[in-house]
Amino acid sequence: MDNSPPKKTCCESIRDYFTSAKFLIYMGHALSTWGDRMWNFAVAVFLVELYGNSLLLTAVYGLVVAGSVLLLGALIGDWVDRNPRLKVAQTSLLVQNSCVIVCGILLMVVFQFKEQLVELYNGWILTTCYILVISIANVANLASTATSITIQRDWVVVVAGQDSSKLADMNATVRIIDQLTNILAPMLVGQIMAFGSHFIGCGFISGWNLCSMCLEYALLWKVFQKTPALAVKAGQKDGQQELKQLSPSKELENGQSPEESSQPLMNETSAVAQPDSPKQRGCCYQVTEPLRTLKAGWVAYYNQNIFFAGMSLAFLYMTVLGFDCITTGYAYTQGLNGSVLSLLMGASAVSGICGTVAFTWIRKKCGLIRTGFISGVVQLSCLMLCVASVFAPGSSLDLSVSPFQDLYSHFMGEKALPEADHSLTSGNITTDAPAEAMPPLQSYMSVSLLFAGVIAARVGLWSFDLTVTQLIQENVIESERGVINGVQNSMNYLLDLLHFIMVILAPNPEAFGLLVIISVSFVAMGHIMYFQFAFKSLGSRLFLCCSPEQKIETEDSPSLPTTV
């Protein structure tokens, strides 16, 4: 008699998928990132509009956000590690959405009564509103960082269990959701503000976050119910209490502990030793505790066996070769309009999605570490087009113009020299030469090569990003996941800040070619560090293509990192 379970029908399989923990995580992540992308796009527009079309408030906001994550990333990660998973996810969700809602309401008040606020106390009330908006929005970003660490770097690993392929597929799907929401969400809120008003846009974002918060809260609870292993966290006693509240007797009836029912990907046999704390601590000890936690987090990050892989990812943030305000601003000086830029951004998103799909396929064929090596080679090869654009016809590179001339003129109050002036005519810098000397086709050759390289490199970039993400997920022990990912975020923001400082020091279009070369150099250094990590892990086998079975034995079972 055949005792095998009956095969599920198509409808039953579809129902099981849409009610699975994996799909519920996708839904919650889509709602969360949609709200984040709308807010990140809108807050920059709101601050520019409020401050008389000046970028000052936007720059201050960006600096505060980057500096906060840089300084507090390790502390946020440590908080994630020290507290139960459900508590962390719910708290960060509530704080993030509540802050966005409050900011939206405050901005609605400012837009509605701006003229009256300017006259009150010589405008100090309005200034206070600006400070409150930036401060509360910064808290929302910190809470968003905590949410990203706990869901994308921890919950996903536990839900995937011991299946490395399932983890790779989940990471790729999460990244595809990021790509789609990064385009569609700003388009939606942009249309609302264009056909309505900024006041309506603020109200829509506040209402969206209120509804989204309730739905995400329910989805988190359902995922937690469907994955008992989430209630068990290394080095915590609260996890057992959560598990009892979740399912008091299911695992005991089956004679199997919750830990055995769904283990994380890596066999985490060790955890960070927590020293016994005395009952009474001195005032100085309590004041300096965050500093000690910060130091311990960075030391733990340095001692990881994936340290060079994480550093390689951080170095990729030191670049102007992305679709941010810097690259789009340069494109405007070269004669590209908003319509063309929107098409290029769409092509970039498609290229990024291709990179996430390629990641899962290459990982199955060549293994995880080799995937990162191949992705790095692809990205660097594509970026050679950007280097070629610096010397192509139509390039704005002019070594006779000092890169710091605009900065010097601004602080010294002097007018820029005529030869440094630039315009949008013919997509190039104006000179004394006649118009016939610059053919239209040649004037766009440089910028075409630049964006061709940027778009093509997204395939390797996103595949490499997913590789390093999964390496961190698989190799960092459970008790350190939060703090290590927090430090990784800090490193990313540090290199991102450096690239903004680089642009501030050399802001004129004539120096953009130098920024491109510096950016490609940093990307190359990042991939050299990854090569060092990969060669140390696999040796000469890095250049050999092996079967998936051999890959599991050699590459997907690295030793546990050193604990601090």
Side-chain angles (χ1 to χ4, degrees), residues 31-52:
L31 290 172
S32 178
T33 53
W34 188 280
D36 286 348
R37 298 300 184 269
M38 285 199 306
W39 171 247
N40 291 334
F41 172 81
V43 68
V45 176
F46 293 154
L47 293 176
V48 170
E49 180 69 20
L50 288 174
Y51 207 69

Side-chain angles (χ1 to χ4, degrees), residues 518-536:
I518 294 173
S519 299
V520 175
S521 300
F522 269 86
V523 172
M525 285 189 287
H527 288 303
I528 289 173
M529 284 188 285
Y530 183 84
F531 176 78
Q532 180 179 354
F533 158 78
F535 192 79
K536 182 179 179 182

